[in-house]
Amino acid sequence: MVGPTTAAGGWWSEEMSGAGLRGMEADYVRRYHKHEPRENQCSSALVKHIKAPIHLVWSLVRRFDQPQKYKPFVSRCVVQGDLEIGSVREVNVKSGLPATTSTERLELLDDDEHILSIKIVGGDHRLKNYSSIITLHPEIIDGRPGTLVIESFVVDVPEGNTNDETCYFVEALIKCNLKSLADISERLAVQDHIEPIDLH
């Protein structure tokens, strides 16, 4: 699916061999999402436009210690030690996915540039050498503050799977996460705009 398509909670465009991204999106991918996939790896980037201000969306994304705030497949998360670069989290995955646990390390957390990067370092799943970068960028949507979210990844292609199958599976997970992020952020943004009714 190349180019924008409508979806609940914002709209999508994805990178497919560099096609389908708008100018600014492509610039952000080139600047912040530098993956160098090896021969046995696949890589992709997905874009989501969210009708909520960047500070609100970032308040959810930056919580390396609480990914379940918006990731629907995470049931529990425990971080070992303080929250800092190199921190490791143990994530429990809800049933229905071909995994139960994932061990993930915080590679980058930049509150000024709104960048979060993680690397999977263990767990009982097939996502070997997985790393992802998520960046947030302010934009205006329908005259209101909005957020452009870009999430990219690189991962090994498991034996017995094709590059396309692997990318499709990971992209499906990321789409679910970003749709949930949009739904929650937009709901919070609406609540922020409700003025109290003065009954006196």
Side-chain angles (χ1 to χ4, degrees):
M1 183 169 51
V2 177
T5 60
T6 57
W11 45 277
W12 290 105
S13 56
E14 345 174 338
E15 178 186 35
M16 292 289 186
S17 306
L21 286 181
R22 299 161 166 216
M24 282 305 285
E25 295 167 0
D27 286 347
Y28 289 140
V29 168
R30 276 193 296 273
R31 195 179 317 163
Y32 299 107
H33 298 262
K34 294 178 181 168
H35 298 288
E36 294 178 8
R38 298 188 305 268
E39 194 175 318
N40 67 326
Q41 292 186 314
C42 73
S43 182
S44 185
L46 289 94
V47 172
K48 184 76 169 166
H49 299 267
I50 298 179
K51 295 178 181 179
I54 193 167
H55 73 272
L56 204 157
V57 182
W58 181 244
S59 72
L60 296 167
V61 170
R62 75 173 308 281
R63 294 304 301 265
F64 177 77
D65 57 333
Q66 293 184 12
Q68 67 273 29
K69 280 190 170 284
Y70 76 91
K71 293 187 175 184
F73 300 114
V74 174
S75 59
R76 184 169 173 266
C77 176
V78 177
V79 174
Q80 302 154 6
D82 294 331
L83 186 59
E84 57 193 5
I85 304 303
S87 291
V88 174
R89 68 185 181 192
E90 295 288 339
V91 173
N92 288 18
V93 179
K94 291 181 180 174
S95 62
L97 287 178
T100 56
T101 63
S102 182
T103 306
E104 303 168 358
R105 184 174 64 226
L106 181 62
E107 300 286 292
L108 178 64
L109 177 64
D110 187 327
D111 283 315
D112 295 324
E113 295 284 336
H114 304 107
I115 306 170
L116 175 76
S117 177
I118 66 139
K119 183 173 182 66
I120 293 181
V121 294
D124 68 336
H125 50 73
R126 302 183 74 201
L127 298 179
K128 303 300 180 210
N129 293 313
Y130 179 93
S131 64
S132 74
I133 300 168
I134 184 167
T135 60
L136 276 58
H137 311 275
E139 64 177 357
I140 301 298
I141 303 174
D142 299 334
R144 292 177 175 267
T147 304
L148 167 63
V149 181
I150 304 173
E151 185 162 357
S152 64
F153 68 90
V154 62
V155 66
D156 288 4
V157 176
E159 200 168 319
N161 289 94
T162 66
N163 191 305
D164 286 348
E165 289 168 341
T166 305
C167 264
Y168 182 83
F169 173 73
V170 177
E171 287 172 353
L173 289 177
I174 291 175
K175 283 181 182 181
C176 285
N177 289 339
L178 293 181
K179 182 185 182 310
S180 174
L181 177 64
D183 290 345
I184 292 166
S185 299
E186 291 175 1
R187 200 161 48 242
L188 291 170
V190 167
Q191 290 171 1
D192 277 359
H193 282 93
I194 295 175
E195 297 293 331
I197 299 170
D198 186 5
L199 299 174
H200 302 290

